[in-house]
Amino acid sequence: MALLEVTDLHKNFDQLQVLKGISFSLEKGQTLSIIGPSGGGKTTLLRCLNFLEMPSAGRIAINDDGGSHVLFDGSAGRELKAAQIRENRLHFGLVFQSFNLFPQYTALQNVSLAPRLRAKGKEDRKAQLRAIEEKSVELLRRVGLGDKLDYYPHQLSGGQQQRVAIARALALTPDVLFFDEPTSALDPELTGEVLNVIRQLARENMTMVVVTHEMGFAQAVSDQVLFIDGGVIVEQGPPEQVLGAPTEERTRQFLRGFGKG
Amino acid sequence: MFQTVVMSLNEGFVKSLEIFALTLLGAIPLGLIMSFGSMSSFKPLSGFVRTVVWIFRGSPLMIQLLLIYYAPGMLGYNIWGTGSSGRFAAAMAAFILNYACYFSEIFRGGIESIPRGQKEAGQVLGMTGTQIFFKVTLLQVIKRIVPPMGNEIITLVKDTSLVRVISVYEVMWNGQAFIKSSGLIWPLFFTAVYYLAFNGLLTILFGWLEKKLDYFKV
Ligand SMILES: Nc1ncnc2c1ncn2[C@@H]1O[C@H](COP(=O)(O)OP(=O)(O)OP(=O)(O)O)[C@@H](O)[C@H]1O
Ligand SMILES: [Mg+2]
């Protein structure tokens, strides 16, 4: 069974239909890239999967070691409670285009804050906090920032900030890590260091969904590519097909804008 | 004579400080509640709060003092009684309401200036609303509101002199009394020293606070 199963997901903002039935599944350890023109609904899809927006209809399920969890089922017809939404979110991590680091905390504190809050009121809190500290340091080392633990966000470059944000998202060991155009807010010379971290995560078999305009990167790391336009999946498949030999005219047209296809 | 004047002024200034402290104590929490009211998506509530804010910020505090003290009696409800404690209570009501309105706008501006992404980053990390408010938003809001709050609080120190329109005896009232009683005018002007000294202290305090929060940028 696939780790993540998204079925016929819809999202309306009042009259505006932004997602019109998105279905895909993702195997554990795979990387999925999502490409498509502006306004197609890519960000909205990630926001729905992380419950920053409530989907209008459809189904989201996760099948991890702990069994099968239906995180959202529009046909069940009842609203999710706040506590349930928080539980759901722990399956996922999200890296934003604009980093959104907490400015008053150091890199290390940014990474450890959420796990520390979750350790509150636990019996073995002391031991947990020590473990959290160690793990946070380890995560920052992994993204190449072992020497910047005590730096505040404003003391870091955009690329470094985004790498802290990735470490922060990994701190709660999500099943799936989502990226929404993680390099779009960066100067071109800084995109490489962030993409390298994502590549490394892919090699370590982190399950990821990456919305990106970096076609070369999508080609290199993805197991699967979705082309989304107008709230529907126009084309999906392995990168060699979607990026290399697209069958849909709309995909070809889009890729021509990137000097491909 | 100098000693007599200083003693009297000191006594008056204690009253001024009392008004100052009680206003802060009442207006900061009330202002915070009002700021949430004015940001509410329930239109009648936010509309009501914004109207109240407009009235209290849009009219002179002196008129508010007079109205709050005299209007109930004129309408046949003598809620403030006749003694000095009633006048003081009326003055506090006017000051707390007036300053809560100013503070609520500062708080609202501060809260609304925090990018939505901060809250969302907390949400996707599984934090509760309370955790996000206290661990993520609050300190950023405080950093943003320290300078405007400093201005407002320094204005409050000077505004305490207005309570003499309803005969609450604060430092300026006591200073002015020497004109009638001893033909001395300098005590009135000397009261300025008290305001200057206290505001100097507050300026230093707020400067220190700003510096303290200088370690991060919002
Ligand atoms: N909160 C909202 N209220 C109303 N409409 C919205 C809202 N959020 C997004 N939309 C609309 O949904 C559509 C899809 O937006 P979305 O941000 O998901 O596109 P995108 O594919 O991420 O585009 P881009 O490549 O520019 O980031 C747009 O037409 C947008 O205006
Ligand atoms: Mg987007």
Side-chain angles (χ1 to χ4, degrees):
Chain A
M1 225 181 324
L3 176 65
L4 172 66
E5 283 178 347
V6 177
T7 318
D8 203 24
L9 203 69
H10 285 73
K11 177 64 190 175
N12 311 330
F13 292 108
D14 295 321
Q15 299 301 317
L16 183 69
Q17 291 189 18
V18 175
L19 299 181
K20 305 171 187 164
I22 301 280
S23 303
F24 66 92
S25 60
L26 186 58
E27 298 292 334
K28 193 172 160 73
Q30 287 205 330
T31 299
L32 168 73
S33 289
I34 300 179
I35 60 169
S38 184
K42 305 180 295 296
T43 296
T44 305
L45 174 60
L46 294 203
R47 291 175 62 84
C48 282
L49 293 173
N50 284 279
F51 298 95
L52 291 175
E53 307 284 357
M54 202 40 72
S56 306
R59 192 169 179 278
I60 304 169
I62 262 277
N63 307 296
D64 63 8
D65 303 335
S68 192
H69 315 270
V70 177
L71 305 187
F72 177 84
D73 188 352
S75 64
R78 59 190 147 76
E79 286 202 14
L80 291 177
K81 295 205 173 59
Q84 185 60 54
I85 291 174
R86 276 201 306 283
E87 282 305 309
N88 285 351
R89 283 177 178 145
L90 290 177
H91 291 284
F92 302 136
L94 176 60
V95 174
F96 299 86
Q97 188 173 341
S98 50
F99 330 138
N100 296 344
L101 291 183
F102 306 131
Q104 72 268 45
Y105 294 123
T106 63
L108 182 59
Q109 289 167 335
N110 262 279
V111 177
S112 64
L113 178 66
R116 292 177 72 97
L117 288 173
R118 295 196 69 76
K120 228 175 217 161
K122 299 271 166 63
E123 261 175 51
D124 54 343
R125 178 151 179 272
K126 274 243 169 69
Q128 282 204 22
L129 289 184
R130 221 168 316 123
I132 288 166
E133 194 78 5
E134 276 169 25
K135 184 177 174 189
S136 303
V137 172
E138 176 54 34
L139 282 169
L140 283 167
R141 286 215 185 101
R142 263 171 71 187
V143 298
L145 294 172
D147 57 339
K148 299 277 193 278
L149 302 179
D150 297 324
Y151 281 55
Y152 288 92
H154 75 273
Q155 299 169 318
L156 299 170
S157 73
Q160 291 169 334
Q161 289 188 50
Q162 191 61 302
R163 285 187 280 152
V164 175
I166 294 172
R168 179 176 71 173
L170 288 169
L172 289 169
T173 47
D175 293 317
V176 184
L177 186 52
F178 295 89
F179 297 83
D180 190 7
E181 299 192 35
T183 59
S184 290
L186 297 176
D187 293 336
E189 70 269 21
L190 298 177
T191 60
E193 58 188 69
V194 172
L195 295 181
N196 281 338
V197 167
I198 302 174
R199 266 194 206 99
Q200 178 196 327
L201 289 173
R203 275 197 298 275
E204 292 165 5
N205 288 326
M206 181 74 210
T207 314
M208 295 187 288
V209 174
V210 189
V211 172
T212 185
H213 289 300
E214 305 275 344
M215 294 307 151
F217 169 77
Q219 178 105 44
V221 299
S222 320
D223 301 288
Q224 212 190 136
V225 178
L226 296 188
F227 173 66
I228 291 185
D229 187 11
V232 296
I233 297 176
V234 175
E235 189 156 359
Q236 68 179 307
E240 310 80 65
Q241 182 212 312
V242 179
L243 299 174
T247 54
E248 297 291 326
E249 178 50 31
R250 266 201 284 176
T251 319
R252 268 183 243 137
Q253 208 178 353
F254 173 74
L255 290 174
R256 268 199 291 276
F258 288 86
K260 292 197 66 160
Chain B
M1 193 64 211
F2 185 73
Q3 275 214 333
T4 320
V5 171
V6 168
M7 295 261 280
S8 167
L9 293 188
N10 282 351
E11 199 180 303
F13 194 61
V14 168
K15 196 57 145 186
S16 304
L17 287 182
E18 224 175 286
I19 297 164
F20 171 80
L22 287 176
T23 302
L24 289 187
L25 217 63
I28 289 176
L30 181 59
L32 195 60
I33 294 168
M34 286 177 67
S35 70
F36 287 128
S38 68
M39 288 184 289
S40 164
S41 52
F42 182 58
K43 283 276 147 39
L45 177 61
S46 62
F48 172 74
V49 174
R50 284 177 195 217
T51 309
V52 171
V53 168
W54 168 65
I55 291 171
F56 277 91
R57 292 205 314 166
S59 65
L61 175 53
M62 193 188 288
I63 291 180
Q64 293 162 22
L65 273 165
L66 292 168
L67 263 178
I68 287 177
Y69 181 57
Y70 289 113
M74 285 159 63
L75 298 172
Y77 302 98
N78 190 3
I79 55 172
W80 305 118
T82 47
S84 65
S85 65
R87 293 199 300 275
F88 183 71
M92 287 324 305
F95 266 70
I96 289 175
L97 282 172
N98 181 277
Y99 272 86
C101 289
Y102 279 97
F103 291 167
S104 79
E105 282 297 281
I106 293 177
F107 296 157
R108 183 168 69 89
I111 292 170
E112 284 179 345
S113 72
I114 306 303
R116 192 177 62 160
Q118 289 291 306
K119 182 179 169 194
E120 292 182 347
Q123 285 177 320
V124 296
L125 289 165
M127 292 187 206
T128 64
T130 319
Q131 288 172 337
I132 292 169
F133 181 75
F134 284 105
K135 296 290 178 180
V136 176
T137 320
L138 186 60
L139 194 62
Q140 298 182 44
V141 173
I142 290 176
K143 184 179 165 84
R144 293 211 177 192
I145 67 175
V146 163
M149 283 299 277
N151 282 335
E152 219 47 70
I153 286 172
I154 281 170
T155 305
L156 169 61
V157 174
K158 295 177 287 179
D159 274 356
T160 56
S161 62
L162 289 173
V163 297
R164 63 192 217 293
V165 299
I166 57 170
S167 305
V168 175
Y169 307 147
E170 44 64 69
V171 63
M172 254 175 90
W173 173 288
N174 286 7
Q176 202 167 12
F178 284 97
I179 300 178
K180 264 201 193 145
S181 67
S182 332
L184 292 178
I185 188 113
W186 68 264
L188 175 59
F189 298 129
F190 191 67
T191 59
V193 173
Y194 285 80
Y195 293 105
L196 281 172
F198 189 56
N199 274 335
L201 211 69
L202 287 177
T203 306
I204 292 170
L205 179 76
F206 275 94
W208 173 81
L209 207 60
E210 267 182 60
K211 226 188 172 113
K212 265 260 162 201
L213 293 171
D214 222 20
Y215 70 91
F216 70 95
K217 301 263 178 295
V218 285

